[in-house]
Amino acid sequence: MPSEDFDAARLRELDRLADRGAAPAEIEGCPALLGWLPGARVPQPDTPARRARAVYALFREVVAAAQAGHQADGGDTGARETLAVGALFGLVTWGPGERPDPDRASSANLTVRRALAGSWLSPPIAAETLRRPRTKQRLLTAFRHTLDDHIPDGRAPHGHPGTEPARRRWPVAATAAVLLVVAAGYGLYAWGPWHREQPSTSAQGSARVKDRGVDEENTASAGAPVKVVSVTRVPLDEASWVFPDARDFSAAELAEIGDTGDMRRYDAWFLERDAVPVNAREDRIVLQGDSTRTVRVTDLVVDKKCGPPLTGTFFENPSAGQDTSVVLTADLDEPVADVRSTRPGGEEARYFAGHSLTLKPGEQEVVVVRASTTRFSCAYNLDFTIVDGDENLVQTVKDHGRPFRVSADAYDEEKTHPYDAYQRVYVGGVASAARLCGDGTFAPLDPGTFTASPDSCP
């Protein structure tokens, strides 16, 4: 049984989450809660970010159980107090008598969350009353006990009580966003309602499914619950590329590139030479249920490693201004990237907290993942969490057997020589016309001497 100091540490962290909201990014900064996570719930591979998401999922389970208890007995005081804490955390966004809506965005205003929490108590109390330490501490202490009761083995901390795990923080790798569009084969959205099953004893030992995504031939390994039918790069308006090293190209080779009027030919030229897309990339992934039963995709984590932008040979062919519309976003600038859906009017809501992607045997879904960065060069894999019966697996999808790659550009308009970070530069499209008075075809530019666009062209 944990010490009183450990329980007090958890209570302090719950108090902080009540003020800031219990998003996974906030939970990652709570070492006592991360250390308390029961061993059966520790995800693999074990990272602080994944632990934070697992603790977040446990919070939602407790809230869901309290909602069920309240629906069965409206006078259940314990259920109402748990829902009140859920409102403080931003997990409960509906009041008594309202239809539960996990997708509704939580208010960023603490007073609003306190007022909602107060409405759940019996009798209801005002937001100002909920500010009082005694009232709030009573509710949070009860919630801490509810967590222990919900997870019987949760009273045996996985780590050392009250200490910060050695790997609590990992580097924030990129200022980036991953944008996803998920549609059924016939072009409509087909999402199933979210729920999380209690893992069985056999599921507790489930191993990570390594590299059971797509190999060199775009086929899945035998036994994977989801088959990756194909991974295809989607051309974007931003058509710049970069090589890690310095490369010289002849006029004849540059003429082979073509232009963005034939994106298939244009992209193929760079992909055949192992170039990396600049600033953003978009990939269309076709998934198919490959189990004897319906499986669910309950999460998507971008497993990334990032460093400085590539500065070998830069082919600049910037967008002329058109944007790519997206439906779901995940900000990788945060320690934990919550995938969010954007509703009409710009309102955002956590997606996988309230939904899952369901695949019946043989059923296909298309997932389009758009990754962008403005500061780094990143290599990443896509880790899909799959629930297949009583097994919880992580299925990794790669770019034809290798990590996906994207690099920010190293152009710095504040410098006298904005391209001087590169060893070689070729500009095309609107950049060719602006920089070299060119006709849009790629032409070399000296990164050490170029200072500004020409004032006028002949």
Side-chain angles (χ1 to χ4, degrees), residues 7-18:
D7 280 341
R10 280 199 297 158
L11 190 59
R12 287 194 298 270
E13 291 175 354
L14 291 173
D15 194 354
R16 189 178 78 175
L17 296 178

Side-chain angles (χ1 to χ4, degrees), residues 226-251:
V226 172
K227 177 180 179 181
V228 180
V229 178
S230 64
V231 175
T232 309
R233 185 178 180 274
V234 179
L236 298 177
D237 293 320
E238 171 63 68
S240 300
W241 295 80
V242 64
F243 293 90
D245 54 354
R247 298 195 186 186
D248 293 307
F249 295 94
S250 67

Side-chain angles (χ1 to χ4, degrees), residues 178-424:
V178 175
L179 311 173
L180 305 95
V181 179
V182 185
Y186 45 81
L188 298 178
Y189 293 97
W191 303 101
W194 177 89
H195 68 283
R196 187 180 293 273
E197 300 170 355
Q198 294 289 342
S200 67
T201 303
S202 62
Q204 294 173 5
S206 295
R208 170 189 171 92
V209 180
K210 292 186 177 179
D211 300 338
R212 285 191 177 178
V214 59
D215 63 12
E216 297 293 341
E217 287 76 37
N218 280 350
T219 58
S221 303
V226 172
K227 177 180 179 181
V228 180
V229 178
S230 64
V231 175
T232 309
R233 185 178 180 274
V234 179
L236 298 177
D237 293 320
E238 171 63 68
S240 300
W241 295 80
V242 64
F243 293 90
D245 54 354
R247 298 195 186 186
D248 293 307
F249 295 94
S250 67
E253 288 176 308
L254 295 176
E256 294 176 359
I257 300 176
D259 57 36
T260 54
D262 184 355
M263 288 302 299
R264 181 172 298 181
R265 172 188 172 189
Y266 179 90
D267 280 2
W269 192 92
F270 289 100
L271 291 171
E272 289 169 0
R273 291 161 176 78
D274 205 27
V276 176
V278 171
N279 294 333
R281 69 173 295 156
E282 191 167 290
D283 296 274
R284 180 181 291 108
I285 302 165
V286 180
L287 304 177
Q288 179 175 306
D290 203 31
S291 176
T292 57
R293 54 200 165 200
T294 297
V295 298
R296 292 183 294 116
V297 180
T298 61
D299 203 359
L300 170 59
V301 173
V302 179
D303 183 10
K304 63 190 186 318
K305 293 182 179 179
C306 299
L310 300 179
T311 55
T313 304
F314 182 38
F315 277 76
E316 185 183 28
N317 191 0
S319 168
Q322 184 177 355
D323 292 326
T324 301
S325 61
V326 295
V327 175
L328 304 182
T329 65
D331 185 358
L332 293 187
D333 193 29
E334 299 179 358
V336 178
D338 274 330
V339 177
R340 294 179 174 270
S341 59
T342 303
R343 297 174 172 180
E347 182 184 8
E348 291 187 348
R350 292 184 294 270
Y351 186 80
F352 278 109
H355 298 80
S356 64
L357 173 62
T358 302
L359 289 170
K360 297 177 181 178
E363 182 181 10
Q364 291 187 356
E365 295 282 359
V366 178
V367 181
V368 177
V369 181
R370 185 178 191 269
S372 64
T373 176
T374 60
R375 295 172 53 197
F376 298 95
S377 170
C378 298
Y380 60 94
N381 297 322
L382 301 174
D383 288 351
F384 289 88
T385 299
I386 311 294
V387 177
D388 183 14
D390 60 359
E391 289 189 306
N392 292 272
L393 308 172
V394 175
Q395 191 161 333
T396 299
V397 174
K398 296 186 175 183
D399 182 15
H400 299 81
R402 302 187 304 172
F404 298 91
R405 295 184 298 168
V406 63
S407 176
D409 68 63
Y411 178 87
D412 189 348
E413 62 184 9
E414 300 296 326
K415 288 185 175 182
T416 302
H417 303 292
Y419 290 99
D420 65 1
Y422 292 103
Q423 300 176 62
R424 304 284 190 279

Side-chain angles (χ1 to χ4, degrees), residues 28-53:
E28 193 179 351
C30 299
L33 285 170
L34 296 185
W36 164 85
L37 185 66
R41 295 299 186 101
V42 175
Q44 297 298 323
D46 184 2
T47 66
R50 288 179 181 272
R51 281 186 176 237
R53 295 182 76 92

Side-chain angles (χ1 to χ4, degrees), residues 8 11-12 14-16 130 132-143:
L11 190 59
R12 287 194 298 270
L14 291 173
D15 194 354
R16 189 178 78 175
L130 201 52
R132 297 173 183 172
R134 174 179 292 185
T135 302
K136 185 168 65 170
Q137 290 299 305
R138 178 180 64 82
L139 291 173
L140 294 176
T141 299
F143 185 82

